[in-house]
Amino acid sequence: MKAFLLLEDGTVFEGNSFGKEGKVVGEVVFNTGMTGYQEVLTDPSYCGQIVCMTYPLIGNYGVNLDDIESVKPQVKGFIVRELCKTPSNWRSIESLNEYLKRHGIIGLEGIDTRALTIILRNRGTMKGTIVTCETLEEIEEKIAEVKAYTVSNPVLQVTTPEIKHYSGEGYKIALLDYGLKKNIVRSLQKRNCEVYVFPCTATAEEVLTVEPDGIMLSNGPGDPKDCRFQIDNIKKLIGKKPIFGICLGHQLTALANGADTEKLKYGHRGCNHPVKDIEKDMTYITSQNHGYTIIKESLDPEIMKISHINMNDGTIEGLKYKNAPMFTVQFHPEASPGPGDTAYLFDEFIKMIDEAGSSNK
């Protein structure tokens, strides 16, 4: 069926629908990954967003049971240049079209995704709506609806409803779920860690009752400043145990230490973002998915220092703290999708726990 994308500035793209038919409103963003569309679809950091893939052919290896990062697709809509209708892969159990239809996600194909990406890069991220219909009518009313769209604290929509436990014989890690990807848990389990996953609403006291050796703060969606409870909670955890934060967890930790954040023009989303580790004097290719960044001028040099920078735009990609055993990064060392070049950060977290344990003996 014919379908349209209408941006809040009035720009219209005409294509064809796949997945579910109907209407959806969300923030339109783009992802530059060549593969990994299944991980993108199931990444909770995309809650409330319509994702456009810049790579022209999507769906060619279908959908499998292994490459999912949460229990269901988290995007509000999905846009591709060309949808592969006959996937070929030994793990594939269904096509992308079938998968989205089963989960009630609206897709749009056949539009000029390069033109859409250029618009978002030049004008900044915008809200938009995908509508399946033969002719797009009442445009002004639809634009007003799009402009009025907001997502209020999406972290509450994607967090686990209850504590989850994953066994292990190594260090015990308390993982606060702001919208975590499953590969964070897998990465800790590879290092033989015992993992307790807590809802984002868990208090510091509840987290500490399991007597963790370390605390992880996960990725997640939305504006970090909306997470006032989580910021106050992190303040109570600082200094209690070694802390490692990823993506939203990175931003929340900075806010808890007096820094400030701002929205990027169009964000960083993809598997090919170069980031420099300052101490190692090495640049790594990273997986990223975020729309906000920490403001350099807001950093207190007595409390924190920059550990990683983005080589494309110079934004902060990592911080190390001087007031407690704690470090955070903006990118995704657990990847999925993307390269695992920065998985060494999980080893550094384990080392930090080792050193904290030694100093307490």
Side-chain angles (χ1 to χ4, degrees):
M1 185 175 181
K2 190 179 292 184
F4 298 86
L5 170 67
L6 173 64
L7 299 178
E8 63 179 293
D9 68 351
T11 302
V12 176
F13 289 88
E14 179 180 335
N16 298 304
S17 71
F18 66 99
K20 178 188 173 183
E21 294 180 358
K23 182 179 73 172
V24 67
V25 181
E27 183 183 37
V28 184
V29 300
F30 62 88
N31 183 292
T32 57
M34 295 175 66
T35 61
Y37 54 82
Q38 190 172 340
E39 294 94 324
V40 168
L41 288 166
T42 55
D43 183 347
S45 294
Y46 283 116
C47 178
Q49 295 179 328
I50 297 171
V51 179
C52 170
M53 301 298 292
T54 61
Y55 191 71
L57 178 63
I58 300 295
N60 54 310
Y61 53 86
V63 173
N64 61 66
L65 295 175
D66 302 318
D67 298 336
I68 56 174
E69 290 302 316
S70 62
V71 295
K72 63 179 182 179
Q74 303 289 345
V75 302
K76 294 207 71 176
F78 200 51
I79 301 171
V80 303
R81 177 68 183 91
E82 181 182 351
L83 174 70
C84 179
K85 297 176 177 62
T86 54
S88 178
N89 185 275
W90 66 274
R91 294 191 303 161
S92 177
I93 60 170
E94 62 184 333
S95 69
L96 179 57
N97 179 45
E98 293 167 335
Y99 178 70
L100 293 188
K101 185 176 293 185
R102 181 162 60 86
H103 286 282
I105 305 296
I106 295 176
L108 173 65
E109 72 155 330
I111 73 165
D112 188 340
T113 52
R114 178 175 291 185
L116 173 59
T117 301
I118 290 173
I119 288 172
L120 297 177
R121 282 181 60 92
N122 291 341
R123 304 178 194 173
T125 296
M126 283 186 276
K127 291 177 282 188
T129 180
I130 298 176
V131 183
T132 57
C133 57
E134 288 303 315
T135 58
L136 190 63
E137 299 175 346
E138 300 177 341
I139 291 179
E140 292 303 320
E141 290 83 351
K142 287 182 172 61
I143 290 175
E145 181 184 357
V146 168
K147 288 183 177 180
Y149 171 79
T150 58
V151 179
S152 178
N153 208 342
V155 168
L156 294 174
Q157 300 178 34
V158 297
T159 190
T160 179
E162 58 190 5
I163 299 173
K164 297 178 181 178
H165 177 246
Y166 300 86
S167 60
E169 298 178 358
Y171 285 124
K172 188 186 298 181
I173 307 300
L175 173 53
L176 278 161
D177 178 11
Y178 305 132
L180 69 82
K181 291 159 64 181
K182 288 185 177 181
N183 210 41
I184 295 177
V185 176
R186 297 188 200 106
S187 297
L188 291 169
Q189 288 185 302
K190 285 179 182 177
R191 290 153 179 86
N192 208 27
C193 292
E194 179 182 8
V195 183
Y196 283 86
V197 177
F198 286 87
C200 70
T201 52
T203 64
E205 292 75 19
E206 290 170 334
V207 171
L208 294 172
T209 55
V210 301
E211 299 182 346
D213 298 296
I215 297 170
M216 279 211 68
L217 310 174
S218 83
N219 62 292
D223 185 341
K225 291 180 184 176
D226 288 341
C227 301
R228 290 186 289 273
F229 170 82
Q230 288 74 27
I231 294 168
D232 290 338
N233 211 37
I234 290 171
K235 290 178 182 178
K236 298 175 184 177
L237 291 170
I238 292 173
K240 299 289 195 267
K241 299 291 178 180
I243 294 176
F244 177 22
I246 292 173
C247 196
L248 182 62
H250 161 76
Q251 297 164 0
L252 297 180
T253 305
L255 289 168
N257 282 275
D260 197 7
T261 58
E262 63 182 353
K263 189 169 185 176
L264 291 164
K265 186 175 181 180
Y266 48 82
H268 300 153
R269 297 174 181 89
C271 311
N272 48 8
H273 292 259
V275 168
K276 183 176 182 179
D277 183 321
I278 295 173
E279 284 188 6
K280 295 181 182 297
D281 194 27
M282 290 281 291
T283 297
Y284 299 90
I285 302 302
T286 68
S287 176
Q288 303 208 10
N289 177 13
H290 63 102
Y292 291 81
T293 187
I294 296 165
I295 301 172
K296 286 182 182 179
E297 292 74 20
S298 70
L299 300 182
D300 184 345
E302 297 297 318
I303 297 177
M304 62 197 84
K305 67 175 183 178
I306 298 173
S307 61
H308 297 74
I309 57 170
N310 189 295
M311 297 302 286
N312 284 334
D313 59 13
T315 52
I316 294 172
E317 291 283 354
L319 292 172
K320 284 192 176 180
Y321 289 82
K322 304 175 182 180
N323 58 340
M326 184 165 58
F327 69 91
T328 64
V329 292
Q330 182 62 78
F331 51 91
H332 290 264
E334 81 285 356
S336 292
D341 298 22
T342 55
Y344 69 87
L345 291 167
F346 286 97
D347 297 318
E348 291 193 0
F349 180 44
I350 300 301
K351 182 181 178 182
M352 185 169 65
I353 296 173
D354 280 337
E355 293 173 348
S358 300
S359 64
N360 290 330
K361 291 180 180 178

